[in-house]
Amino acid sequence: MLKLYLSNVFQITYRVFTFIINAVILRYVTSDVLGIINVRPALLYSTATFVSVEAFRRAALGVTESSKWRQAINLVWLSVPVSAAVSAALAGLWLHALSQPAPEVTSEYRLGVWVTAAMVVLETAAQPLVILAQAMLFVKLKVVADMVSLCSRVALKAWLIALYPSHAIWAYCVGHAVSSALLVVIYYGTLLWHVRSPDNCLPVKSASELGPRLVPGQPALDRDQLALTWSFFKQGLLKQLLTEGERYLMTAFHLLDFSEQGLYDVVANLGSLAARFLFQPVEENAYVYFSRTVERGKPVPAAAGRVLHDLLRAMSLLGLVAVTFGWSYSHLLLRLYGGALLTAGPAVSLLRAQCAYVLLLAVNGVLECYTFAVMRQEQINGYNRKMVLLSVIFVISTGIFTRLFGGVGFILANCVNMLTRIYVCYRFVAGLPLEPAVSVPPLLGLRPPPAVAAALVTAGLLAAGSESWLYPSSAAAHVAVGALCGAAVVAAAVYSEPRLLQAVRERVGDKLKRS
């Protein structure tokens, strides 16, 4: 519980901090430079880290027998030479196979690529200690190390960009190098202190045991652990491709130029705030609830059906609110957040499209968490096969829509991908048998009540009229119209869904009592 609480606090703090700092950076750099520092090095870092670290980390953390800890540590140290080879290969690919930026920033771009690759290797050298700390449940150490490292990276980068706006890529390099060095120093310093402490609780008793070692009579690496590492790598490969799919496509095929990539990245991050702060915790809690209350292969019980109905109703209403007000207030939001850099280009159209994507994210998240909670193993395998087909559809639709609509095409392709996933889950849930006590089919939660639908349509029309007549000459009046329309939508929702309001009150009351 403490681990989850601290992790959530850190994630929220870091995201708020990053959100604020990025708003500062946007006022000092061009959209081209923004695309270079936010897309290319980030994709290189995430790809190299996945290939070099993730599978080794998951395999080592699964070791429970103390007699195999030595081999687990050796396994993680194997990731260091792997990361060196992978990072060098990817850096060469980034510099020689992919499109390059303008000549005036090429030298700094090359520096950024090599610094990113070097920092992957440096951080990988700390992974044996990171994994050891995780296995020993050093929760506070992880939170502090991540907080210091990531926040120092963002803050130092913003400070240097403010001082030297023409050298933003150099500022990125310095921030990344300092944050990686801090991460390594914190873990090595803390673990070495524990090893030398008389109250040492670690499975290693000296500093030399933290490095790779041979144990007489035992192989240096355990075959089962190696096989598990390979399995984890194959398992995570599809997830990595789906997570970073759009960045791989825009990078490999140069579907967007650097300026469009920078604007797309900002808008995508801005539009996904709801998914990060609201949808994700709801989905995680819903999955836990459904996995405990619904038996796989059995009819849907009344309580679970009602919860699914209410969640679909609540999340779809939130998504509809985003669509209703997002269209008319995207320009104002981008103007406040990034100034002229975001309002002069296609960013407004991108954010409007992103609002539609938020609606689909809200619905799909609930449907998928219920689907995964009740699917049997063979059904999960079948779903995974369908995901491969959906990935192919996503790639094809991305190529078509991007050439037709530019950056908006990426969001439209994501919408198509999300719609197909919703369709698959909808068909699965609709085919499940219901207990006789289920009075309302859960999927009816996707239909908004008539009063709320009328309020949303009216609010959307009034907000659009306000943007045409009042904005930007009177932004305050435009905001006032939106506030009144929002209040009307909330009143309609409270009138139509009193039980949802009661459930929210009970949830908040429980949290207040626990705190």
Side-chain angles (χ1 to χ4, degrees):
M1 182 64 70
L2 176 63
K3 180 179 179 181
L4 181 60
Y5 174 76
L6 289 175
S7 177
N8 288 337
V9 169
F10 163 68
Q11 289 181 19
I12 293 174
T13 304
Y14 174 67
R15 285 168 180 167
V16 171
F17 181 70
T18 305
F19 179 78
I20 296 171
I21 292 296
N22 283 339
V24 176
I25 294 175
L26 289 171
R27 284 157 172 80
Y28 291 93
V29 299
T30 64
S31 54
D32 296 81
V33 173
L34 195 65
I36 295 172
I37 63 176
N38 280 2
V39 178
R40 284 288 180 88
L43 184 61
L44 171 62
Y45 178 82
S46 112
T47 304
T49 300
F50 164 75
V51 175
S52 308
V53 174
E54 186 62 22
F56 292 97
R57 183 187 66 83
R58 293 179 64 186
L61 285 174
V63 175
T64 56
E65 301 176 36
S66 57
S67 60
K68 292 189 176 182
W69 253 112
R70 178 70 266 159
Q71 293 167 313
I73 293 176
N74 290 344
L75 176 70
V76 181
W77 275 109
L78 182 62
S79 65
V80 177
V82 170
S83 72
V86 168
S87 299
L90 289 175
L93 182 67
W94 254 239
L95 292 175
H96 300 291
L98 302 180
S99 58
Q100 301 299 295
E104 57 267 22
V105 295
T106 298
S107 60
E108 287 196 358
Y109 171 71
R110 289 179 175 275
L111 175 64
V113 168
W114 284 117
V115 167
T116 302
M119 291 309 104
V120 171
V121 180
L122 180 62
E123 291 182 18
T124 305
Q127 280 303 306
L129 285 77
V130 173
I131 291 170
L132 185 59
Q134 284 185 267
M136 300 307 297
L137 301 180
F138 288 1
V139 179
K140 293 181 181 179
L141 172 60
K142 176 175 174 53
V143 171
V144 170
D146 288 348
M147 177 76 79
V148 171
S149 173
L150 295 175
C151 289
S152 65
R153 176 187 305 180
V154 176
L156 185 57
K157 179 177 70 173
W159 179 60
L160 291 174
I161 287 176
L163 291 177
Y164 310 102
S166 59
H167 297 285
I169 303 176
W170 169 83
Y172 161 83
C173 296
V174 174
H176 198 160
V178 170
S179 69
S180 298
L182 283 173
L183 182 73
V184 173
V185 167
I186 290 172
Y187 272 104
Y188 270 90
T190 304
L191 270 294
L192 288 174
W193 179 82
H194 272 282
V195 166
R196 293 166 181 168
S197 171
D199 300 324
N200 178 21
C201 59
L202 299 175
V204 294
K205 303 306 177 186
S206 66
S208 62
E209 293 184 23
L210 291 172
R213 291 181 62 186
L214 292 175
V215 177
Q218 290 186 0
L221 298 171
D222 183 78
R223 287 188 176 182
D224 292 338
Q225 293 176 16
L226 286 172
L228 189 60
T229 301
W230 178 241
S231 297
F232 279 138
F233 175 77
K234 292 187 293 183
Q235 186 183 72
L237 187 59
L238 179 60
K239 180 181 178 181
Q240 174 70 10
L241 293 175
L242 291 175
T243 302
E244 300 285 6
E246 57 195 25
R247 290 191 176 191
Y248 286 127
L249 288 172
M250 71 172 67
T251 298
F253 300 104
H254 203 57
L255 298 176
L256 305 178
D257 60 33
F258 286 105
S259 176
E260 292 173 322
Q261 289 181 29
L263 293 176
Y264 177 85
D265 183 72
V266 172
V267 171
N269 288 331
L270 190 61
S272 64
L273 284 176
R276 293 175 181 175
F277 286 104
L278 183 60
F279 299 165
Q280 185 176 352
V282 169
E283 292 164 13
E284 290 174 352
N285 289 317
Y287 179 80
V288 172
Y289 172 80
F290 290 136
S291 61
R292 291 178 178 177
T293 57
V294 182
E295 293 186 48
R296 299 179 188 272
K298 297 295 182 65
V300 178
R306 192 73 228 185
V307 170
L308 177 59
H309 174 278
D310 291 348
L311 283 175
L312 288 173
R313 175 63 52 83
M315 301 300 274
S316 60
L317 288 180
L318 288 173
L320 288 170
V321 167
V323 173
T324 300
F325 293 97
W327 182 268
S328 302
Y329 290 88
S330 290
H331 190 282
L332 176 60
L333 177 60
L334 292 173
R335 176 182 164 189
L336 294 173
Y337 185 63
L341 175 66
L342 296 185
T343 56
V348 176
S349 299
L350 288 170
L351 187 56
R352 286 171 173 169
Q354 188 74 17
C355 291
Y357 183 55
V358 167
L359 168 61
L360 299 178
L361 275 177
V363 173
N364 179 72
V366 174
L367 279 176
E368 278 197 345
C369 77
Y370 184 83
T371 299
F372 292 150
V374 303
M375 271 184 171
R376 298 187 300 273
Q377 185 59 49
E378 63 272 15
Q379 292 171 324
I380 293 175
N381 294 335
Y383 181 86
N384 289 336
R385 289 191 292 270
K386 291 177 182 176
M387 286 296 292
V388 175
L389 175 61
L390 297 185
S391 300
V392 175
I393 295 174
F394 170 69
V395 172
I396 295 174
S397 60
T398 297
I400 295 173
F401 290 146
T402 305
R403 297 191 184 281
L404 292 175
F405 307 109
V408 176
F410 267 107
I411 301 177
L412 294 178
N414 279 322
C415 290
V416 170
N417 179 45
M418 205 56 59
L419 279 170
T420 53
R421 289 166 64 175
I422 289 173
Y423 173 73
V424 171
C425 292
Y426 185 96
R427 287 197 60 185
F428 174 80
V429 175
L432 293 174
L434 304 175
E435 287 188 352
V438 178
S439 57
V440 180
L443 292 175
L444 287 181
L446 292 171
R447 299 180 185 177
V452 178
L456 286 168
V457 172
T458 304
L461 293 175
L462 290 175
S466 172
E467 185 182 31
S468 300
W469 300 324
L470 301 176
Y471 182 78
S473 59
S474 181
H478 183 46
V479 172
V481 171
L484 291 174
C485 291
V489 171
V490 171
V494 170
Y495 171 78
S496 303
E497 297 290 341
R499 205 170 54 77
L500 273 182
L501 180 63
Q502 181 62 30
V504 171
R505 285 177 177 172
E506 292 174 356
R507 181 70 176 171
V508 172
D510 291 342
K511 286 195 172 184
L512 290 175
K513 289 178 183 178
R514 292 173 186 172
S515 59

PDB file of all heavy atoms in Angstrom, residues 364-390:
ATOM      1  N   ASN A 364     -12.947   2.831 -24.179  1.00  0.00           N
ATOM      2  CA  ASN A 364     -12.153   1.621 -24.383  1.00  0.00           C
ATOM      3  C   ASN A 364     -11.493   1.153 -23.094  1.00  0.00           C
ATOM      4  O   ASN A 364     -11.393  -0.055 -22.848  1.00  0.00           O
ATOM      5  CB  ASN A 364     -11.079   1.889 -25.438  1.00  0.00           C
ATOM      6  CG  ASN A 364     -10.208   0.681 -25.688  1.00  0.00           C
ATOM      7  OD1 ASN A 364     -10.628  -0.295 -26.288  1.00  0.00           O
ATOM      8  ND2 ASN A 364      -8.967   0.727 -25.213  1.00  0.00           N
ATOM      9  N   GLY A 365     -11.021   2.085 -22.260  1.00  0.00           N
ATOM     10  CA  GLY A 365     -10.336   1.693 -21.027  1.00  0.00           C
ATOM     11  C   GLY A 365     -11.210   0.827 -20.135  1.00  0.00           C
ATOM     12  O   GLY A 365     -10.766  -0.203 -19.612  1.00  0.00           O
ATOM     13  N   VAL A 366     -12.464   1.236 -19.962  1.00  0.00           N
ATOM     14  CA  VAL A 366     -13.381   0.473 -19.100  1.00  0.00           C
ATOM     15  C   VAL A 366     -13.738  -0.857 -19.743  1.00  0.00           C
ATOM     16  O   VAL A 366     -13.745  -1.916 -19.087  1.00  0.00           O
ATOM     17  CB  VAL A 366     -14.654   1.296 -18.811  1.00  0.00           C
ATOM     18  CG1 VAL A 366     -15.663   0.461 -18.037  1.00  0.00           C
ATOM     19  CG2 VAL A 366     -14.310   2.549 -18.036  1.00  0.00           C
ATOM     20  N   LEU A 367     -14.042  -0.845 -21.038  1.00  0.00           N
ATOM     21  CA  LEU A 367     -14.412  -2.095 -21.712  1.00  0.00           C
ATOM     22  C   LEU A 367     -13.269  -3.100 -21.690  1.00  0.00           C
ATOM     23  O   LEU A 367     -13.480  -4.300 -21.448  1.00  0.00           O
ATOM     24  CB  LEU A 367     -14.813  -1.806 -23.156  1.00  0.00           C
ATOM     25  CG  LEU A 367     -16.230  -1.293 -23.397  1.00  0.00           C
ATOM     26  CD1 LEU A 367     -16.432  -0.958 -24.864  1.00  0.00           C
ATOM     27  CD2 LEU A 367     -17.263  -2.319 -22.942  1.00  0.00           C
ATOM     28  N   GLU A 368     -12.043  -2.634 -21.925  1.00  0.00           N
ATOM     29  CA  GLU A 368     -10.909  -3.557 -21.948  1.00  0.00           C
ATOM     30  C   GLU A 368     -10.595  -4.113 -20.564  1.00  0.00           C
ATOM     31  O   GLU A 368     -10.259  -5.291 -20.436  1.00  0.00           O
ATOM     32  CB  GLU A 368      -9.681  -2.867 -22.534  1.00  0.00           C
ATOM     33  CG  GLU A 368      -9.658  -2.853 -24.055  1.00  0.00           C
ATOM     34  CD  GLU A 368      -8.286  -2.549 -24.629  1.00  0.00           C
ATOM     35  OE1 GLU A 368      -7.404  -2.076 -23.870  1.00  0.00           O
ATOM     36  OE2 GLU A 368      -8.090  -2.769 -25.832  1.00  0.00           O
ATOM     37  N   CYS A 369     -10.677  -3.285 -19.531  1.00  0.00           N
ATOM     38  CA  CYS A 369     -10.349  -3.808 -18.203  1.00  0.00           C
ATOM     39  C   CYS A 369     -11.373  -4.859 -17.778  1.00  0.00           C
ATOM     40  O   CYS A 369     -11.012  -5.852 -17.136  1.00  0.00           O
ATOM     41  CB  CYS A 369     -10.237  -2.677 -17.176  1.00  0.00           C
ATOM     42  SG  CYS A 369     -11.787  -2.012 -16.590  1.00  0.00           S
ATOM     43  N   TYR A 370     -12.649  -4.676 -18.161  1.00  0.00           N
ATOM     44  CA  TYR A 370     -13.648  -5.702 -17.857  1.00  0.00           C
ATOM     45  C   TYR A 370     -13.393  -6.948 -18.704  1.00  0.00           C
ATOM     46  O   TYR A 370     -13.464  -8.080 -18.202  1.00  0.00           O
ATOM     47  CB  TYR A 370     -15.051  -5.176 -18.125  1.00  0.00           C
ATOM     48  CG  TYR A 370     -16.131  -6.160 -17.742  1.00  0.00           C
ATOM     49  CD1 TYR A 370     -16.567  -6.252 -16.424  1.00  0.00           C
ATOM     50  CD2 TYR A 370     -16.691  -7.027 -18.678  1.00  0.00           C
ATOM     51  CE1 TYR A 370     -17.536  -7.174 -16.061  1.00  0.00           C
ATOM     52  CE2 TYR A 370     -17.654  -7.944 -18.326  1.00  0.00           C
ATOM     53  CZ  TYR A 370     -18.066  -8.015 -17.021  1.00  0.00           C
ATOM     54  OH  TYR A 370     -19.014  -8.934 -16.652  1.00  0.00           O
ATOM     55  N   THR A 371     -13.077  -6.749 -19.977  1.00  0.00           N
ATOM     56  CA  THR A 371     -12.837  -7.878 -20.874  1.00  0.00           C
ATOM     57  C   THR A 371     -11.677  -8.741 -20.383  1.00  0.00           C
ATOM     58  O   THR A 371     -11.774  -9.972 -20.314  1.00  0.00           O
ATOM     59  CB  THR A 371     -12.544  -7.363 -22.292  1.00  0.00           C
ATOM     60  OG1 THR A 371     -13.679  -6.634 -22.768  1.00  0.00           O
ATOM     61  CG2 THR A 371     -12.245  -8.513 -23.235  1.00  0.00           C
ATOM     62  N   PHE A 372     -10.568  -8.098 -20.015  1.00  0.00           N
ATOM     63  CA  PHE A 372      -9.395  -8.850 -19.556  1.00  0.00           C
ATOM     64  C   PHE A 372      -9.650  -9.526 -18.212  1.00  0.00           C
ATOM     65  O   PHE A 372      -9.062 -10.562 -17.910  1.00  0.00           O
ATOM     66  CB  PHE A 372      -8.183  -7.927 -19.441  1.00  0.00           C
ATOM     67  CG  PHE A 372      -7.689  -7.418 -20.765  1.00  0.00           C
ATOM     68  CD1 PHE A 372      -7.075  -6.182 -20.873  1.00  0.00           C
ATOM     69  CD2 PHE A 372      -7.860  -8.160 -21.918  1.00  0.00           C
ATOM     70  CE1 PHE A 372      -6.624  -5.704 -22.094  1.00  0.00           C
ATOM     71  CE2 PHE A 372      -7.422  -7.701 -23.149  1.00  0.00           C
ATOM     72  CZ  PHE A 372      -6.799  -6.471 -23.229  1.00  0.00           C
ATOM     73  N   ALA A 373     -10.529  -8.946 -17.403  1.00  0.00           N
ATOM     74  CA  ALA A 373     -10.802  -9.523 -16.090  1.00  0.00           C
ATOM     75  C   ALA A 373     -11.634 -10.802 -16.178  1.00  0.00           C
ATOM     76  O   ALA A 373     -11.554 -11.651 -15.286  1.00  0.00           O
ATOM     77  CB  ALA A 373     -11.515  -8.504 -15.200  1.00  0.00           C
ATOM     78  N   VAL A 374     -12.416 -10.955 -17.246  1.00  0.00           N
ATOM     79  CA  VAL A 374     -13.313 -12.108 -17.328  1.00  0.00           C
ATOM     80  C   VAL A 374     -12.931 -13.094 -18.427  1.00  0.00           C
ATOM     81  O   VAL A 374     -13.484 -14.199 -18.490  1.00  0.00           O
ATOM     82  CB  VAL A 374     -14.773 -11.647 -17.544  1.00  0.00           C
ATOM     83  CG1 VAL A 374     -15.203 -10.711 -16.429  1.00  0.00           C
ATOM     84  CG2 VAL A 374     -14.952 -10.967 -18.893  1.00  0.00           C
ATOM     85  N   MET A 375     -11.994 -12.747 -19.290  1.00  0.00           N
ATOM     86  CA  MET A 375     -11.593 -13.655 -20.367  1.00  0.00           C
ATOM     87  C   MET A 375     -10.862 -14.877 -19.828  1.00  0.00           C
ATOM     88  O   MET A 375     -10.074 -14.767 -18.896  1.00  0.00           O
ATOM     89  CB  MET A 375     -10.666 -12.930 -21.355  1.00  0.00           C
ATOM     90  CG  MET A 375     -11.367 -12.227 -22.490  1.00  0.00           C
ATOM     91  SD  MET A 375     -10.158 -11.523 -23.655  1.00  0.00           S
ATOM     92  CE  MET A 375     -11.238 -11.028 -24.979  1.00  0.00           C
ATOM     93  N   ARG A 376     -11.122 -16.036 -20.455  1.00  0.00           N
ATOM     94  CA  ARG A 376     -10.330 -17.221 -20.171  1.00  0.00           C
ATOM     95  C   ARG A 376      -9.036 -17.160 -20.978  1.00  0.00           C
ATOM     96  O   ARG A 376      -8.900 -16.351 -21.892  1.00  0.00           O
ATOM     97  CB  ARG A 376     -11.119 -18.483 -20.518  1.00  0.00           C
ATOM     98  CG  ARG A 376     -12.392 -18.647 -19.697  1.00  0.00           C
ATOM     99  CD  ARG A 376     -13.031 -20.002 -19.958  1.00  0.00           C
ATOM    100  NE  ARG A 376     -13.390 -20.157 -21.357  1.00  0.00           N
ATOM    101  CZ  ARG A 376     -14.544 -19.761 -21.881  1.00  0.00           C
ATOM    102  NH1 ARG A 376     -15.445 -19.177 -21.125  1.00  0.00           N
ATOM    103  NH2 ARG A 376     -14.794 -19.948 -23.170  1.00  0.00           N
ATOM    104  N   GLN A 377      -8.095 -18.043 -20.676  1.00  0.00           N
ATOM    105  CA  GLN A 377      -6.778 -17.980 -21.292  1.00  0.00           C
ATOM    106  C   GLN A 377      -6.855 -18.100 -22.806  1.00  0.00           C
ATOM    107  O   GLN A 377      -6.193 -17.354 -23.547  1.00  0.00           O
ATOM    108  CB  GLN A 377      -5.875 -19.086 -20.723  1.00  0.00           C
ATOM    109  CG  GLN A 377      -4.438 -19.031 -21.216  1.00  0.00           C
ATOM    110  CD  GLN A 377      -3.761 -17.726 -20.879  1.00  0.00           C
ATOM    111  OE1 GLN A 377      -3.805 -17.274 -19.743  1.00  0.00           O
ATOM    112  NE2 GLN A 377      -3.120 -17.093 -21.864  1.00  0.00           N
ATOM    113  N   GLU A 378      -7.667 -19.029 -23.313  1.00  0.00           N
ATOM    114  CA  GLU A 378      -7.744 -19.190 -24.760  1.00  0.00           C
ATOM    115  C   GLU A 378      -8.367 -17.960 -25.429  1.00  0.00           C
ATOM    116  O   GLU A 378      -8.033 -17.610 -26.561  1.00  0.00           O
ATOM    117  CB  GLU A 378      -8.530 -20.456 -25.131  1.00  0.00           C
ATOM    118  CG  GLU A 378      -9.985 -20.463 -24.693  1.00  0.00           C
ATOM    119  CD  GLU A 378     -10.179 -21.004 -23.280  1.00  0.00           C
ATOM    120  OE1 GLU A 378      -9.180 -21.098 -22.545  1.00  0.00           O
ATOM    121  OE2 GLU A 378     -11.335 -21.340 -22.938  1.00  0.00           O
ATOM    122  N   GLN A 379      -9.276 -17.291 -24.702  1.00  0.00           N
ATOM    123  CA  GLN A 379      -9.865 -16.069 -25.246  1.00  0.00           C
ATOM    124  C   GLN A 379      -8.843 -14.930 -25.275  1.00  0.00           C
ATOM    125  O   GLN A 379      -8.828 -14.122 -26.210  1.00  0.00           O
ATOM    126  CB  GLN A 379     -11.083 -15.666 -24.416  1.00  0.00           C
ATOM    127  CG  GLN A 379     -12.253 -16.630 -24.551  1.00  0.00           C
ATOM    128  CD  GLN A 379     -13.365 -16.324 -23.563  1.00  0.00           C
ATOM    129  OE1 GLN A 379     -13.113 -15.921 -22.424  1.00  0.00           O
ATOM    130  NE2 GLN A 379     -14.601 -16.521 -23.983  1.00  0.00           N
ATOM    131  N   ILE A 380      -7.992 -14.874 -24.252  1.00  0.00           N
ATOM    132  CA  ILE A 380      -6.931 -13.863 -24.225  1.00  0.00           C
ATOM    133  C   ILE A 380      -5.965 -14.079 -25.377  1.00  0.00           C
ATOM    134  O   ILE A 380      -5.543 -13.132 -26.053  1.00  0.00           O
ATOM    135  CB  ILE A 380      -6.191 -13.899 -22.869  1.00  0.00           C
ATOM    136  CG1 ILE A 380      -7.130 -13.457 -21.743  1.00  0.00           C
ATOM    137  CG2 ILE A 380      -4.945 -13.011 -22.903  1.00  0.00           C
ATOM    138  CD1 ILE A 380      -6.525 -13.571 -20.360  1.00  0.00           C
ATOM    139  N   ASN A 381      -5.630 -15.356 -25.639  1.00  0.00           N
ATOM    140  CA  ASN A 381      -4.745 -15.658 -26.771  1.00  0.00           C
ATOM    141  C   ASN A 381      -5.378 -15.224 -28.094  1.00  0.00           C
ATOM    142  O   ASN A 381      -4.704 -14.667 -28.970  1.00  0.00           O
ATOM    143  CB  ASN A 381      -4.420 -17.149 -26.802  1.00  0.00           C
ATOM    144  CG  ASN A 381      -3.595 -17.592 -25.604  1.00  0.00           C
ATOM    145  OD1 ASN A 381      -2.889 -16.784 -24.999  1.00  0.00           O
ATOM    146  ND2 ASN A 381      -3.678 -18.863 -25.261  1.00  0.00           N
ATOM    147  N   GLY A 382      -6.673 -15.470 -28.230  1.00  0.00           N
ATOM    148  CA  GLY A 382      -7.365 -15.034 -29.433  1.00  0.00           C
ATOM    149  C   GLY A 382      -7.393 -13.525 -29.566  1.00  0.00           C
ATOM    150  O   GLY A 382      -7.246 -12.975 -30.661  1.00  0.00           O
ATOM    151  N   TYR A 383      -7.569 -12.835 -28.440  1.00  0.00           N
ATOM    152  CA  TYR A 383      -7.562 -11.372 -28.461  1.00  0.00           C
ATOM    153  C   TYR A 383      -6.194 -10.839 -28.882  1.00  0.00           C
ATOM    154  O   TYR A 383      -6.101  -9.873 -29.656  1.00  0.00           O
ATOM    155  CB  TYR A 383      -7.937 -10.828 -27.081  1.00  0.00           C
ATOM    156  CG  TYR A 383      -7.984  -9.324 -27.018  1.00  0.00           C
ATOM    157  CD1 TYR A 383      -9.134  -8.623 -27.374  1.00  0.00           C
ATOM    158  CD2 TYR A 383      -6.876  -8.587 -26.596  1.00  0.00           C
ATOM    159  CE1 TYR A 383      -9.183  -7.245 -27.321  1.00  0.00           C
ATOM    160  CE2 TYR A 383      -6.913  -7.206 -26.547  1.00  0.00           C
ATOM    161  CZ  TYR A 383      -8.069  -6.539 -26.903  1.00  0.00           C
ATOM    162  OH  TYR A 383      -8.113  -5.169 -26.853  1.00  0.00           O
ATOM    163  N   ASN A 384      -5.134 -11.480 -28.387  1.00  0.00           N
ATOM    164  CA  ASN A 384      -3.785 -11.048 -28.766  1.00  0.00           C
ATOM    165  C   ASN A 384      -3.546 -11.202 -30.261  1.00  0.00           C
ATOM    166  O   ASN A 384      -2.880 -10.376 -30.891  1.00  0.00           O
ATOM    167  CB  ASN A 384      -2.745 -11.836 -27.976  1.00  0.00           C
ATOM    168  CG  ASN A 384      -2.720 -11.449 -26.504  1.00  0.00           C
ATOM    169  OD1 ASN A 384      -3.124 -10.342 -26.132  1.00  0.00           O
ATOM    170  ND2 ASN A 384      -2.255 -12.351 -25.656  1.00  0.00           N
ATOM    171  N   ARG A 385      -4.093 -12.267 -30.831  1.00  0.00           N
ATOM    172  CA  ARG A 385      -3.961 -12.437 -32.279  1.00  0.00           C
ATOM    173  C   ARG A 385      -4.713 -11.337 -33.031  1.00  0.00           C
ATOM    174  O   ARG A 385      -4.253 -10.837 -34.070  1.00  0.00           O
ATOM    175  CB  ARG A 385      -4.462 -13.826 -32.694  1.00  0.00           C
ATOM    176  CG  ARG A 385      -3.551 -14.970 -32.265  1.00  0.00           C
ATOM    177  CD  ARG A 385      -3.959 -16.276 -32.921  1.00  0.00           C
ATOM    178  NE  ARG A 385      -5.241 -16.761 -32.427  1.00  0.00           N
ATOM    179  CZ  ARG A 385      -5.384 -17.568 -31.372  1.00  0.00           C
ATOM    180  NH1 ARG A 385      -4.310 -17.976 -30.698  1.00  0.00           N
ATOM    181  NH2 ARG A 385      -6.565 -17.975 -30.990  1.00  0.00           N
ATOM    182  N   LYS A 386      -5.871 -10.966 -32.514  1.00  0.00           N
ATOM    183  CA  LYS A 386      -6.616  -9.870 -33.134  1.00  0.00           C
ATOM    184  C   LYS A 386      -5.858  -8.553 -33.018  1.00  0.00           C
ATOM    185  O   LYS A 386      -5.923  -7.700 -33.908  1.00  0.00           O
ATOM    186  CB  LYS A 386      -7.990  -9.736 -32.475  1.00  0.00           C
ATOM    187  CG  LYS A 386      -8.932 -10.896 -32.771  1.00  0.00           C
ATOM    188  CD  LYS A 386     -10.247 -10.734 -32.037  1.00  0.00           C
ATOM    189  CE  LYS A 386     -11.152 -11.930 -32.296  1.00  0.00           C
ATOM    190  NZ  LYS A 386     -12.416 -11.852 -31.523  1.00  0.00           N
ATOM    191  N   MET A 387      -5.124  -8.373 -31.907  1.00  0.00           N
ATOM    192  CA  MET A 387      -4.356  -7.145 -31.724  1.00  0.00           C
ATOM    193  C   MET A 387      -3.286  -6.998 -32.798  1.00  0.00           C
ATOM    194  O   MET A 387      -2.971  -5.889 -33.228  1.00  0.00           O
ATOM    195  CB  MET A 387      -3.717  -7.126 -30.339  1.00  0.00           C
ATOM    196  CG  MET A 387      -4.694  -6.858 -29.203  1.00  0.00           C
ATOM    197  SD  MET A 387      -5.430  -5.220 -29.313  1.00  0.00           S
ATOM    198  CE  MET A 387      -4.000  -4.204 -28.990  1.00  0.00           C
ATOM    199  N   VAL A 388      -2.713  -8.117 -33.240  1.00  0.00           N
ATOM    200  CA  VAL A 388      -1.730  -8.062 -34.320  1.00  0.00           C
ATOM    201  C   VAL A 388      -2.394  -7.532 -35.592  1.00  0.00           C
ATOM    202  O   VAL A 388      -1.847  -6.667 -36.296  1.00  0.00           O
ATOM    203  CB  VAL A 388      -1.113  -9.446 -34.565  1.00  0.00           C
ATOM    204  CG1 VAL A 388      -0.172  -9.409 -35.770  1.00  0.00           C
ATOM    205  CG2 VAL A 388      -0.362  -9.921 -33.320  1.00  0.00           C
ATOM    206  N   LEU A 389      -3.598  -8.026 -35.888  1.00  0.00           N
ATOM    207  CA  LEU A 389      -4.338  -7.562 -37.063  1.00  0.00           C
ATOM    208  C   LEU A 389      -4.681  -6.079 -36.918  1.00  0.00           C
ATOM    209  O   LEU A 389      -4.557  -5.298 -37.876  1.00  0.00           O
ATOM    210  CB  LEU A 389      -5.606  -8.386 -37.241  1.00  0.00           C
ATOM    211  CG  LEU A 389      -6.551  -7.942 -38.367  1.00  0.00           C
ATOM    212  CD1 LEU A 389      -5.846  -8.016 -39.721  1.00  0.00           C
ATOM    213  CD2 LEU A 389      -7.822  -8.790 -38.363  1.00  0.00           C
ATOM    214  N   LEU A 390      -5.094  -5.682 -35.712  1.00  0.00           N
ATOM    215  CA  LEU A 390      -5.433  -4.280 -35.483  1.00  0.00           C
ATOM    216  C   LEU A 390      -4.210  -3.385 -35.646  1.00  0.00           C
ATOM    217  O   LEU A 390      -4.322  -2.231 -36.076  1.00  0.00           O
ATOM    218  CB  LEU A 390      -6.039  -4.100 -34.085  1.00  0.00           C
ATOM    219  CG  LEU A 390      -7.360  -4.827 -33.816  1.00  0.00           C
ATOM    220  CD1 LEU A 390      -7.901  -4.466 -32.441  1.00  0.00           C
ATOM    221  CD2 LEU A 390      -8.385  -4.506 -34.886  1.00  0.00           C
TER     222      LEU A 390
END
